[in-house]
Short mmCIF file of all heavy atoms in Angstrom, two decimals:
data_model
loop_
_atom_site.label_atom_id
_atom_site.label_comp_id
_atom_site.label_asym_id
_atom_site.label_seq_id
_atom_site.Cartn_x
_atom_site.Cartn_y
_atom_site.Cartn_z
N PRO A 69 -12.00 19.63 0.88
CA PRO A 69 -11.20 18.49 1.33
C PRO A 69 -11.55 17.19 0.61
O PRO A 69 -10.69 16.32 0.44
CB PRO A 69 -11.49 18.39 2.82
CG PRO A 69 -12.64 19.23 3.09
CD PRO A 69 -12.77 20.20 1.98
N ALA A 70 -12.79 17.05 0.14
CA ALA A 70 -13.16 15.84 -0.59
C ALA A 70 -12.44 15.77 -1.93
O ALA A 70 -11.96 14.70 -2.33
CB ALA A 70 -14.67 15.78 -0.78
N VAL A 71 -12.34 16.89 -2.62
CA VAL A 71 -11.63 16.91 -3.90
C VAL A 71 -10.13 16.70 -3.69
O VAL A 71 -9.49 15.94 -4.42
CB VAL A 71 -11.91 18.23 -4.65
CG1 VAL A 71 -10.97 18.42 -5.84
CG2 VAL A 71 -13.34 18.27 -5.12
N LEU A 72 -9.58 17.33 -2.66
CA LEU A 72 -8.17 17.13 -2.35
C LEU A 72 -7.89 15.68 -1.98
O LEU A 72 -6.89 15.09 -2.41
CB LEU A 72 -7.74 18.06 -1.21
CG LEU A 72 -6.29 17.93 -0.75
CD1 LEU A 72 -5.33 18.30 -1.87
CD2 LEU A 72 -6.05 18.77 0.48
N SER A 73 -8.79 15.08 -1.23
CA SER A 73 -8.64 13.68 -0.86
C SER A 73 -8.72 12.77 -2.08
O SER A 73 -7.96 11.81 -2.20
CB SER A 73 -9.71 13.30 0.16
OG SER A 73 -9.64 11.94 0.45
N ALA A 74 -9.62 13.07 -2.99
CA ALA A 74 -9.73 12.27 -4.22
C ALA A 74 -8.47 12.39 -5.07
O ALA A 74 -7.99 11.40 -5.63
CB ALA A 74 -10.95 12.70 -5.01
N LEU A 75 -7.91 13.60 -5.14
CA LEU A 75 -6.67 13.79 -5.90
C LEU A 75 -5.50 13.04 -5.26
O LEU A 75 -4.69 12.41 -5.96
CB LEU A 75 -6.35 15.27 -6.03
CG LEU A 75 -7.26 16.08 -6.95
CD1 LEU A 75 -6.92 17.56 -6.88
CD2 LEU A 75 -7.17 15.57 -8.37
N LEU A 76 -5.41 13.10 -3.93
CA LEU A 76 -4.36 12.36 -3.23
C LEU A 76 -4.51 10.86 -3.43
O LEU A 76 -3.53 10.15 -3.66
CB LEU A 76 -4.38 12.69 -1.74
CG LEU A 76 -3.77 14.00 -1.29
CD1 LEU A 76 -4.01 14.20 0.19
CD2 LEU A 76 -2.31 14.04 -1.60
N PHE A 77 -5.74 10.38 -3.35
CA PHE A 77 -5.97 8.95 -3.51
C PHE A 77 -5.64 8.50 -4.93
O PHE A 77 -5.02 7.44 -5.13
CB PHE A 77 -7.43 8.60 -3.18
CG PHE A 77 -7.67 7.12 -3.06
CD1 PHE A 77 -7.42 6.48 -1.86
CD2 PHE A 77 -8.14 6.39 -4.12
CE1 PHE A 77 -7.63 5.12 -1.74
CE2 PHE A 77 -8.35 5.04 -4.02
CZ PHE A 77 -8.10 4.40 -2.81
N CYS A 78 -6.03 9.29 -5.92
CA CYS A 78 -5.71 8.94 -7.32
C CYS A 78 -4.21 8.98 -7.57
O CYS A 78 -3.68 8.14 -8.31
CB CYS A 78 -6.44 9.87 -8.27
SG CYS A 78 -8.22 9.57 -8.31
N THR A 79 -3.51 9.93 -6.97
CA THR A 79 -2.06 9.98 -7.10
C THR A 79 -1.41 8.75 -6.47
O THR A 79 -0.50 8.15 -7.04
CB THR A 79 -1.51 11.26 -6.44
OG1 THR A 79 -2.15 12.39 -7.02
CG2 THR A 79 -0.01 11.37 -6.63
N GLY A 80 -1.89 8.35 -5.31
CA GLY A 80 -1.38 7.15 -4.67
C GLY A 80 -1.69 5.90 -5.47
O GLY A 80 -0.87 4.99 -5.58
N LEU A 81 -2.89 5.83 -6.04
CA LEU A 81 -3.26 4.68 -6.86
C LEU A 81 -2.39 4.58 -8.10
O LEU A 81 -1.95 3.49 -8.48
CB LEU A 81 -4.74 4.76 -7.24
CG LEU A 81 -5.32 3.59 -8.00
CD1 LEU A 81 -5.30 2.35 -7.12
CD2 LEU A 81 -6.74 3.90 -8.44
N TYR A 82 -2.11 5.72 -8.73
CA TYR A 82 -1.21 5.73 -9.87
C TYR A 82 0.19 5.26 -9.46
O TYR A 82 0.83 4.51 -10.18
CB TYR A 82 -1.13 7.13 -10.48
CG TYR A 82 -0.09 7.24 -11.56
CD1 TYR A 82 -0.30 6.69 -12.81
CD2 TYR A 82 1.12 7.88 -11.32
CE1 TYR A 82 0.66 6.77 -13.80
CE2 TYR A 82 2.09 7.96 -12.29
CZ TYR A 82 1.85 7.41 -13.54
OH TYR A 82 2.81 7.48 -14.50
N GLY A 83 0.64 5.69 -8.29
CA GLY A 83 1.95 5.26 -7.81
C GLY A 83 2.02 3.77 -7.55
O GLY A 83 3.03 3.13 -7.82
N VAL A 84 0.94 3.19 -7.03
CA VAL A 84 0.92 1.74 -6.79
C VAL A 84 0.93 0.97 -8.10
O VAL A 84 1.63 -0.04 -8.25
CB VAL A 84 -0.30 1.36 -5.93
CG1 VAL A 84 -0.53 -0.14 -5.92
CG2 VAL A 84 -0.13 1.87 -4.52
N LEU A 85 0.17 1.45 -9.08
CA LEU A 85 0.06 0.72 -10.34
C LEU A 85 1.23 0.93 -11.28
O LEU A 85 1.55 0.04 -12.08
CB LEU A 85 -1.24 1.11 -11.04
CG LEU A 85 -2.53 0.75 -10.31
CD1 LEU A 85 -3.73 1.28 -11.08
CD2 LEU A 85 -2.63 -0.74 -10.11
N SER A 96 3.31 5.13 -1.86
CA SER A 96 2.03 5.41 -2.52
C SER A 96 0.86 4.88 -1.70
O SER A 96 -0.20 5.51 -1.64
CB SER A 96 2.02 4.80 -3.91
OG SER A 96 3.02 5.38 -4.71
N VAL A 97 1.04 3.73 -1.06
CA VAL A 97 0.00 3.20 -0.18
C VAL A 97 -0.22 4.14 1.00
O VAL A 97 -1.36 4.38 1.41
CB VAL A 97 0.37 1.77 0.29
CG1 VAL A 97 -0.54 1.31 1.40
CG2 VAL A 97 0.31 0.81 -0.88
N GLU A 98 0.85 4.69 1.53
CA GLU A 98 0.72 5.66 2.63
C GLU A 98 -0.01 6.92 2.16
O GLU A 98 -0.80 7.50 2.92
CB GLU A 98 2.11 6.04 3.17
CG GLU A 98 2.79 4.92 3.90
CD GLU A 98 2.06 4.52 5.16
OE1 GLU A 98 1.56 5.40 5.87
OE2 GLU A 98 2.00 3.32 5.43
N LEU A 99 0.23 7.34 0.94
CA LEU A 99 -0.48 8.50 0.39
C LEU A 99 -1.97 8.21 0.29
O LEU A 99 -2.81 9.07 0.60
CB LEU A 99 0.10 8.86 -0.97
CG LEU A 99 -0.28 10.21 -1.56
CD1 LEU A 99 0.24 11.32 -0.67
CD2 LEU A 99 0.30 10.34 -2.95
N MET A 100 -2.32 6.99 -0.11
CA MET A 100 -3.72 6.61 -0.18
C MET A 100 -4.37 6.58 1.21
O MET A 100 -5.51 7.02 1.38
CB MET A 100 -3.86 5.25 -0.87
CG MET A 100 -3.51 5.29 -2.34
SD MET A 100 -3.32 3.67 -3.09
CE MET A 100 -4.90 2.95 -2.83
N LEU A 101 -3.62 6.08 2.20
CA LEU A 101 -4.16 6.07 3.56
C LEU A 101 -4.34 7.48 4.11
O LEU A 101 -5.30 7.75 4.84
CB LEU A 101 -3.24 5.26 4.48
CG LEU A 101 -3.29 3.75 4.32
CD1 LEU A 101 -2.22 3.09 5.15
CD2 LEU A 101 -4.65 3.23 4.69
N ASN A 102 -3.44 8.38 3.76
CA ASN A 102 -3.59 9.78 4.20
C ASN A 102 -4.80 10.44 3.54
O ASN A 102 -5.45 11.30 4.15
CB ASN A 102 -2.32 10.56 3.92
CG ASN A 102 -1.24 10.22 4.91
OD1 ASN A 102 -1.51 9.86 6.04
ND2 ASN A 102 0.00 10.34 4.47
N ALA A 103 -5.11 10.07 2.31
CA ALA A 103 -6.31 10.59 1.66
C ALA A 103 -7.56 10.11 2.40
O ALA A 103 -8.51 10.87 2.60
CB ALA A 103 -6.35 10.14 0.20
N VAL A 104 -7.56 8.86 2.83
CA VAL A 104 -8.68 8.33 3.60
C VAL A 104 -8.79 9.06 4.94
O VAL A 104 -9.90 9.39 5.38
CB VAL A 104 -8.52 6.81 3.78
CG1 VAL A 104 -9.54 6.28 4.77
CG2 VAL A 104 -8.65 6.10 2.45
N ASN A 105 -7.66 9.31 5.57
CA ASN A 105 -7.67 10.05 6.85
C ASN A 105 -8.24 11.45 6.68
O ASN A 105 -8.98 11.93 7.54
CB ASN A 105 -6.26 10.11 7.44
CG ASN A 105 -5.80 8.78 7.95
OD1 ASN A 105 -6.60 7.90 8.24
ND2 ASN A 105 -4.49 8.62 8.05
N LEU A 106 -7.87 12.11 5.60
CA LEU A 106 -8.40 13.44 5.34
C LEU A 106 -9.91 13.40 5.17
O LEU A 106 -10.64 14.26 5.68
CB LEU A 106 -7.72 14.05 4.10
CG LEU A 106 -8.18 15.43 3.68
CD1 LEU A 106 -7.87 16.45 4.76
CD2 LEU A 106 -7.52 15.81 2.37
N ASN A 107 -10.40 12.40 4.47
CA ASN A 107 -11.85 12.24 4.31
C ASN A 107 -12.54 11.98 5.64
O ASN A 107 -13.62 12.53 5.91
CB ASN A 107 -12.15 11.09 3.35
CG ASN A 107 -12.66 11.57 2.02
OD1 ASN A 107 -13.07 12.71 1.88
ND2 ASN A 107 -12.64 10.70 1.04
#
Side-chain angles (χ1 to χ4, degrees):
V71 168
L72 179 63
S73 176
L75 290 174
L76 282 174
F77 191 85
C78 290
T79 304
L81 185 65
Y82 173 74
V84 167
L85 296 176
S96 298
V97 169
E98 291 296 320
L99 193 63
M100 291 168 60
L101 286 173
N102 284 331
V104 170
N105 289 338
L106 179 63
N107 252 344

